[in-house]
Amino acid sequence: MSWYLPLKYLHIALALLSLSSFMLRWFWMARGSAWFNHALTRRLPHMIDTAFLLSGIILAVAISQYPFVHDWLTAKVLGLVLYILFGTLALKRAPNLIWKTFFFVLALATFAYIVGVARSWNPQSWLIYLAGD
Ligand code: HEM
């Protein structure tokens, strides 16, 4: 599987693009910038996120690890659902900027949790590194 490692790097790059486009949109929203409603700002993140999810699914199939069979991938998929939910609340659905900031922080924390799960293959995420041996 000579393509596995390049695809994994693509997955990581898309994860960073997804996160940075979310943060940029949030700052534009908070500042009331016209960029927030620009057609590109609304479409590009969906294209990035679709490619991102697809890369994760192909990687998972390649190593025969599946959500709802293997705990770490279950945690990643549930984490992704939460990241999307908090992200939507942070950008649009929350009633005011205080709540939007609250959900923005939750979305970032969820993202950090998922990266910890990806690195450790464990739903306990970064906590396993704290526990020591
Ligand atoms: C916000 C969501 C996600 C983030 C932040 C994320 C992040 C990452 C990162 C950083 C890695 C590299 C870990 C390492 O080797 O050090 C990785 C690997 C991987 N991810 Fe994701 N990912 C996400 C969603 C998903 C989803 C939804 C799936 C599958 C359904 C998935 C499947 C995989 C697989 C199979 C690997 C390769 C693991 C390995 O070879 O060790 N990811 N992910």
Side-chain angles (χ1 to χ4, degrees):
M1 275 195 303
S2 57
W3 49 268
Y4 185 82
L5 207 56
L7 186 64
K8 184 161 124 172
Y9 289 137
L10 181 69
H11 181 68
I12 296 171
L14 288 169
L16 288 174
L17 265 180
S18 169
L19 181 70
S20 37
S21 71
F22 167 62
M23 290 172 77
L24 194 60
R25 275 184 298 158
W26 192 85
F27 284 114
W28 280 337
M29 178 280 300
R31 291 177 58 110
S33 161
W35 280 106
F36 182 65
N37 284 316
H38 194 280
L40 207 62
T41 314
R42 281 186 278 125
R43 280 194 208 125
L44 203 59
H46 292 303
M47 289 157 75
I48 295 171
D49 289 342
T50 306
F52 175 39
L53 184 61
L54 206 64
S55 65
I57 293 170
I58 297 171
L59 285 172
V61 172
I63 55 173
S64 306
Q65 293 280 312
Y66 302 103
F68 307 106
V69 177
H70 302 100
D71 286 355
W72 73 287
L73 270 188
T74 309
K76 276 190 91 166
V77 170
L78 294 182
L80 183 66
V81 171
L82 278 183
Y83 171 60
I84 294 169
L85 181 75
F86 292 149
T88 317
L89 284 159
L91 289 174
K92 295 185 196 125
R93 304 224 178 271
N96 55 45
L97 193 56
I98 295 176
W99 279 107
K100 282 178 170 153
T101 308
F102 175 71
F103 287 114
F104 178 66
V105 173
L106 276 188
L108 296 186
T110 308
F111 191 93
Y113 166 78
I114 301 173
V115 174
V117 174
R119 294 210 49 103
S120 61
W121 284 41
N122 191 314
Q124 289 177 38
S125 188
W126 301 106
L127 286 180
I128 67 156
Y129 299 110
L130 289 180
D133 287 329

